[in-house]
Amino acid sequence: MNEIIERITESAVRDPKGICYQNGSEQRTYQELIQESDRIANLLQGKFLPKKSPIIIYGGQQFEMLVMFLGAIKAGHPYIPVDDASDPSRIIQINSVAHPALVLNWSEVEDFNIDTPMVSKAEIEEAMHSDNNIYDSALSIGDKDNFYIIFTSGTTGTPKGVQITTHNLLDFVDWACAEFDYDNNHELMLQAPFSFDLSVFDIYPGLVSGSTLDIVDKDTTKNFGKLENAILNSNFDTWISTPSFFEMCLLFRNFNHENVQNLHKFIFCGEELTHATAQKLLKRFPKAKLYNTYGPTENTVAITSVQITPEFLVKYDRLPIGYIKGNMHHFLDNAVNEANGYQTGELLVSGPDVSKGYLNNPQQTERAFEEIDDRIYYHTGDMVSESGDGMLFYKGRTDFQIKMHGYRIELEEIDSLLGNLSQVKQSCTVPLYNNKKQVSKIIAHIVLENEFKELNQQQLNLQIKEELKKTTMDYMIPNVLEFVETLPISSNGKIDRKALMGKVNA
Ligand code: AMP
C-alpha cells in the first residue's frame, strides 16, 4: 500500500468518526474518506487505464476532490489537480502536455474539447456510493512514482507540470508534522485552491495526523461579508495561507485574539512575509506562534521555516525565511560576500524534497535541475542571503518570475500569450511594486501592429484583455495595458525588461 494512504488509513482506524473535512456546516469523517476513496479506486481500476498514467481531477475544494485524490493513488494513478476557476483552455494546455488517461470531472462542465475520456460527476457520485470497493493495492502508486503533478506558470505560454513523488511528499509531511506539531487535536484552515501546492501544507500533514481540514472556499473568499463571518466564527487553531490572504483578513477590525480565541498558530508560505504584516499580526494575536516558511512547488511545498518572534521584529527590517530542512544540501551560486558578513547568491537545493523535474518537458527540466557532485540540484531562481549560522533571507528573483496576491507568474508567459494576438507586434510586461515591495499591478507595454494603431485605445484595451482571457488565467491578465511606439532595447539587442521595470518603479 502507498505509505501516505497507509498513514491516513491509520488516522481513520484510530478515530473513524473523527472529522477530516469541514466546510461551513458540512462535516465528513475519516471513515467516509477511506470508504469512498476505495470505491473510486475500484472505478478507476475497472477502466484498465495504462499503468501509472496520470489523470486530471477537475473541481473546487469539495470533500469529493480529496476522495478522488486518494482514490487515484490507491488505483495507481498520479493526479493533476485543476481548479474549476480555471478557464477551459487551461485543461487543453495541461492535456496537451500531460497526455492524461482520464479526466475525473467534479463540475457541471459538459465538454472540455479534448480527446481524453472523461468521467462525469454523476458517474463519480454513483461509484462513490456503490458497494464496489475492491481494488488491488499492489497496483497503487509506489514510493518513487509520481503522487501528484501540479502545473505552474511557464515561460513559453505553456504551463510546466511539477512532478512530486510519494517519497518527496513523505519527506515534506514528516518535516511539517514535526516542525508545526500537527496532531489529531488540530483544526487547520485550508484556503488555498487544491491546484496550488500550498493546499498540500494542510491536506497531507493534516490527514496523516488525524486533524480536521477546515475549508474557507472560493465562494467564501470572494464575498467579503461571508469571509468575515467565516473567519470570526471559525474554530480553527492553525492558519495556513499566503501573507496576501491574511492581509486581506486584517481589514476585519474584530479579527484578533479576543474574538478568534482558538487561533494560536500562523504558518505563511508562498511569498514574502513583510515586517509590517508580521507586526500587525503579533499585535492582534500577541500569544500566537508565527512562522515564515519558504519553498518552490519544485521542492514540495516548503523547505525552510522560522518562528518570527517580537525580538525578530526589532532585529530585522526584512524578515528571514529561516533555516533549511536538516536533510537537504544547499549552496549559494555565484555568492558574493556582503559587508555584514552574510553571503548572497542564487539558492540551489538538493535532497529528498526535490522534484524529478517537469512532466514531458526535458528542456525546461534540464534548465532548472542540474547534477553537481552526484547530486541533483534545483535552481530556485531566488536570490538569498545566508548568515553565518545558516539563517536565510529572501532578496528577490534572478529571473522574471513574480508573485502577485500569492500567484506565481512568469512575465515571459504573459508576453508569449500577448504575442499570439493579432493586435500585438511586441510586448514587454513588468510588475509595479508598492512600498512594501509587493507587486501591486502588472503592466504590459504593447507595440501595436500598424493596422491597429489608429483604433480607439479604450476599445483595444478591452478587446485585448477579452482575447487574453480565452487563453490564460484571470490572475495573469495585466491590470494595465500601455500602448507604446517602441520598447527599450538592451546592448545585446533584446527587449530590455529590466530597464522598463526600473522606469515603471522609479
Ligand atoms: P510556488 O511554486 O508557487 O510556491 O512559488 C515559489 C516561489 O515563491 C519561490 O521560488 C519564491 O520566489 C516565492 N516564495 C515562496 N515563499 C516565500 C517566502 N516565504 N518569502 C519570499 N518569497 C517566497
Side-chain angles (χ1 to χ4, degrees), residues 231-234 253-263 266 281-287:
I231 301 287
L232 297 187
N233 293 311
S234 65
R253 263 192 311 139
N254 292 329
F255 180 37
N256 55 31
H257 172 67
E258 283 69 43
N259 294 305
V260 191
Q261 295 201 351
N262 282 352
L263 189 51
F266 291 82
L281 189 154
L282 288 179
K283 210 165 163 199
R284 292 206 194 185
F285 294 89
K287 292 193 192 126

Side-chain angles (χ1 to χ4, degrees), residues 270-272 292-297 321 382 394 397 403 408:
E271 61 185 348
E272 183 155 359
N292 190 17
T293 75
Y294 153 92
T297 305
I321 53 173
D382 291 313
Y394 174 78
R397 294 286 305 171
K403 279 279 167 124
R408 169 169 158 177

